[in-house]
Amino acid sequence: MAADDTVLRVEHLTMRFGGLVAINDLSFEVERGTITALIGPNGAGKTTVFNCITGFYKPTEGRIALHRGDATVWHALDALTDSGKRGIVRPDGALFLLERMPDHLVAQQARVARTFQNIRLFPGMTVLENLLVAQHNALMVASGYTLLGVLGFPSYAAAERAALDKARGWLDRFGLLARADDPAGDLPYGAQRRLEVVRAMCTEPVLLCLDEPAAGLNPRESAELNDLLLGIRDDHSLSILLIEHDMSVVMGISDSVVVLDYGVKIADGTPETVRNDQKVIAAYLGVADEDVAKVEAAVGL
Amino acid sequence: MEYFVQQLINGITLGSIYGLIAIGYTMVFGIIGMVNFAHGDVFMVSAFIALIAYLIVTAWLGIASVALDLIAVLIVAMAFTSLVNWVIERVAYRPLRGSFRLAPLISAIGMSIFLSNFVQVSQGPRNKSIPPMVQGEFVLSKTHDFPVTLSYKQLIIWGITALLLLAFWYLVAKTSLGRAQRACEQDRKMAALLGVDVDRTISMTFVIAAALAAVAGTMYLMYYGVVTFSDGFVPGVKAFTAAVLGGIGSLPGAVVGGILIGLIETFWSAYFSIDYKDVAAFSVLAITLIFLPQGLFGRPDVEKV
């Protein structure tokens, strides 16, 4: 059984594209309120893992379970798997099998938020509107699916005010408040990166998946981002799953690191143990010619 | 001069109708990148629904108040046309989403033929006419032998169009649904990941497009007093021209484009040859596509590398 504080449990995940095995029998767990980094050389299958978790791909094999609320819900995992349903929601907690859900339900019900390697803001909408779209569901319910909203119903007005306050609060914290009414596409690159994280946070996620959030940032910006991510983790006891190539980010903020190479997990542990792992060093730096066979045998190729 | 002012009034009236239809083209194109060729026929269907509603309201229910008649007809036409378009989207377009680009287009052409044939068979091929709904006019100037008039029905068309555009603008700019629509327009996948129900948003877009087309259809019926099964095609393609002229995907562009097309057509008929008015309108389509492909209000395509 999973530990009480496990939020995400990936078990025996395999993803094949025709003959290509992108991920092979991958298992790992993400604990509540921790930052887990997923690292590995190019083509190791990191983004594929993200795509499986967020419902873009349907895994060939394996189980991806996500939980929120009371930990006893985990006991229902096997029953849920056998029942063929997507998830169970109880008053005190919920458990979902993400591999069974389409992407918008992964976002809406399981509350997994993600960002992409490339920036995918809505460039033509203002910064504030970007954040309101992220709160779309709450607003739609409050607006009675818009008819009441159009008629200016008080409950909707209150909900919209609350959404705006929340958005402004986040912008203030991330130093973007001054640009709230500018089109998102006009922001400088670093600010757009931060805005993506803010927008993901506005969906009130249980798990935040960040695909290379520090890509293209200068050292100062990436240090700022580190502080922000640590702040989010501590204040909201949020779990973050992170793909990152920038080792200063990975080693600086992660609580645990999972290393992939050719779709296989080659190491898993604290940044310190992973950093000194021979297989990881071999995967990143290569090895002397005479050791290739030895390393390949160890990795299982 | 009087002649010119009169044509201006007529042109804006016609243009308002085109503009309302053009919004439907441009909205649907914006959100799913498809030219909904059935939209003109949806407009025609809405005129028939309005015709039936008008006959029921006046002949059966015997409501004599013109304002009440008009409001009832508008509401019935908007409701039923929305339903029709919702079903069309569900049946003919949604199953093809994610298919190759031409598939929904072909499906739309099929839908267009289906609608006009269905109306031809069920309502008969002849012109259907109604007694004038609204009569009377303001005489604006009578200095010479040519009086400039603004009829009540033209005034009603202007007023209702303006009112609806205002409501529509509010819906798109200020409400949660409008934001979701704009988000889907820019990045559908990302919108889904933020929890927006993309399918429902697209459905709502078709419903709104149909409601506006129904207003245009009711206005058309009131203005001309006759409608026939083939009336969807030419106004539909002209509204499409309007949407292209304004910049397809741009909502203010659709309105401005509609009014421009209405004016071009009216002035051409007035000063040159009424037989060639459609040629004039469609020449605008060709000229726009050649010299101003992004339209008046469209964003030029930025090539992404």
Side-chain angles (χ1 to χ4, degrees):
Chain A
M1 206 76 255
D4 280 356
D5 258 0
T6 306
V7 167
L8 177 79
R9 205 169 143 191
V10 175
E11 295 170 307
H12 306 292
L13 179 69
T14 297
M15 182 79 214
R16 292 192 203 96
F17 298 101
L20 177 79
V21 183
I23 309 171
N24 194 3
D25 197 28
L26 171 72
S27 300
F28 67 92
E29 291 183 355
V30 175
E31 304 269 300
R32 172 173 318 286
T34 62
I35 298 180
T36 304
L38 202 57
I39 67 171
N42 286 330
K46 305 178 295 286
T47 301
T48 308
V49 173
F50 265 36
N51 285 341
C52 289
I53 292 173
T54 51
F56 265 123
Y57 295 157
K58 212 167 167 46
T60 320
E61 279 163 39
R63 182 161 76 174
I64 308 170
L66 180 110
H67 142 269
R68 68 165 181 262
D70 192 74
T72 54
V73 186
W74 276 119
H75 297 303
L77 180 59
D78 288 322
L80 174 64
T81 309
D82 294 336
S83 73
K85 289 199 202 113
R86 285 169 174 160
I88 42 173
V89 180
R90 292 189 197 158
D92 58 342
L95 185 65
F96 296 97
L97 291 176
L98 302 184
E99 78 274 12
R100 293 180 180 172
M101 300 168 82
D103 51 7
H104 73 274
L105 290 184
V106 170
Q108 222 174 66
Q109 296 179 356
R111 302 232 299 268
V112 176
R114 96 174 265 191
T115 67
F116 290 84
Q117 278 171 326
N118 50 338
I119 290 177
R120 288 181 80 167
L121 292 168
F122 304 118
M125 299 170 79
T126 68
V127 169
L128 213 48
E129 282 178 331
N130 265 275
L131 301 188
L132 289 178
V133 170
Q135 303 178 60
H136 175 73
N137 276 307
L139 282 173
M140 278 308 263
V141 172
S143 74
Y145 298 92
T146 290
L147 218 61
L148 298 179
V150 172
L151 301 176
F153 230 64
S155 68
Y156 175 73
E160 184 156 272
R161 243 193 327 276
L164 275 170
D165 285 347
K166 185 165 136 193
R168 291 222 176 83
W170 277 108
L171 289 178
D172 195 24
R173 184 164 166 188
F174 277 58
L176 293 167
L177 193 55
R179 308 291 306 257
D181 293 321
D182 292 350
D186 290 358
L187 261 54
Y189 185 85
Q192 292 196 20
R193 278 273 174 217
R194 270 178 291 157
L195 181 58
E196 280 213 301
V197 177
V198 175
R199 188 177 62 176
M201 285 306 297
C202 279
T203 63
E204 301 200 339
V206 173
L207 176 71
L208 180 59
C209 299
L210 302 174
D211 197 343
E212 297 197 31
L217 298 186
N218 63 35
R220 198 176 60 93
E221 288 171 327
S222 97
E224 276 174 12
L225 187 76
N226 284 0
D227 291 343
L228 288 168
L229 293 181
L230 288 173
I232 290 174
R233 180 195 67 182
D234 296 340
D235 297 352
H236 298 261
S237 71
L238 182 77
S239 312
I240 300 177
L241 188 60
L242 180 81
I243 293 178
E244 192 47 76
H245 283 299
D246 185 336
M247 283 303 144
S248 72
V249 175
V250 172
M251 296 302 162
I253 66 172
S254 2
D255 301 295
S256 97
V257 179
V258 175
V259 191
L260 288 183
D261 194 18
Y262 296 106
V264 178
K265 183 168 88 174
I266 57 172
D268 186 352
T270 62
E272 205 50 46
T273 55
V274 164
R275 197 203 308 249
N276 298 319
D277 190 291
Q278 284 307 311
K279 283 192 258 178
V280 176
I281 295 169
Y284 268 91
L285 300 178
V287 289
D289 286 347
E290 56 266 31
D291 294 336
V292 168
K294 208 166 65 193
V295 172
E296 277 184 351
V299 177
L301 286 173
Chain B
M1 183 61 201
E2 284 80 6
Y3 191 59
F4 176 84
V5 172
Q6 183 65 62
Q7 297 315 321
L8 197 67
I9 291 171
N10 296 347
I12 290 174
T13 309
L14 186 61
S16 305
I17 294 176
Y18 289 154
L20 286 171
I21 311 174
I23 288 178
Y25 278 107
T26 222
M27 269 180 98
V28 167
F29 182 85
I31 202 158
I32 56 174
M34 178 194 103
V35 178
N36 180 11
F37 274 116
H39 194 62
D41 293 277
V42 170
F43 156 76
M44 177 273 295
V45 167
S46 78
F48 269 92
I49 294 172
L51 177 99
I52 294 165
Y54 179 73
L55 294 179
I56 290 175
V57 168
T58 52
W60 285 10
L61 303 180
I63 299 171
S65 153
V66 174
L68 226 55
D69 283 347
L70 196 62
I71 289 169
V73 168
L74 261 178
I75 289 172
V76 171
M78 284 169 84
F80 278 91
T81 314
S82 297
L83 187 68
V84 168
N85 216 21
W86 182 80
V87 172
I88 291 176
E89 194 270 335
R90 223 27 204 264
V91 172
Y93 306 147
R94 188 180 293 184
L96 294 172
R97 207 164 296 150
S99 180
F100 63 104
R101 273 184 78 89
L102 267 179
L105 200 72
I106 296 165
S107 183
I109 293 171
M111 234 338 138
S112 157
I113 296 169
F114 167 79
L115 287 176
S116 65
N117 275 277
F118 174 75
V119 172
Q120 181 183 12
V121 171
S122 63
Q123 301 295 318
R126 288 159 187 251
N127 281 348
K128 299 275 172 190
S129 55
I130 56 166
M133 261 195 220
V134 184
Q135 279 169 312
E137 60 194 18
F138 293 113
V139 179
L140 298 182
S141 98
K142 221 176 173 179
T143 44
H144 301 283
D145 50 349
F146 187 86
V148 178
T149 62
L150 174 63
S151 66
Y152 292 161
K153 55 186 179 186
Q154 286 175 325
L155 206 61
I156 290 173
I157 291 178
W158 291 9
I160 289 184
T161 305
L163 202 69
L164 268 155
L165 288 180
L166 207 67
F168 176 71
W169 168 82
Y170 178 80
L171 182 82
V172 170
K174 299 285 174 191
T175 69
S176 192
L177 175 67
R179 273 194 298 270
Q181 280 177 332
R182 284 180 289 145
C184 289
E185 206 179 305
Q186 294 182 25
D187 191 338
R188 228 193 296 167
K189 208 77 212 175
M190 194 65 229
L193 281 175
L194 291 172
V196 175
D197 189 335
V198 174
D199 278 341
R200 183 189 289 150
T201 308
I202 292 173
S203 282
M204 284 311 293
T205 306
F206 275 85
V207 164
I208 294 167
L212 292 175
V215 175
T218 311
M219 303 286 125
Y220 183 87
L221 180 72
M222 181 184 80
Y223 195 48
Y224 294 108
V226 337
V227 62
T228 174
F229 74 93
S230 60
D231 275 357
F233 183 71
V234 171
V237 181
K238 278 185 191 154
F240 173 65
T241 306
V244 172
L245 176 63
I248 195 144
S250 154
L251 297 173
V255 179
V256 173
I259 289 175
L260 280 176
I261 291 289
L263 288 173
I264 288 167
E265 189 183 319
T266 310
F267 281 117
W268 184 276
S269 319
Y271 289 103
F272 300 102
S273 147
I274 196 160
D275 294 333
Y276 284 93
K277 68 178 173 134
D278 291 353
V279 174
F282 294 132
S283 304
V284 173
L285 180 61
I287 292 167
T288 310
L289 285 175
I290 294 167
F291 294 105
L292 195 68
Q294 77 275 19
L296 295 172
F297 290 76
R299 286 181 295 267
D301 259 348
V302 181
E303 196 172 328
K304 286 182 195 138
V305 185

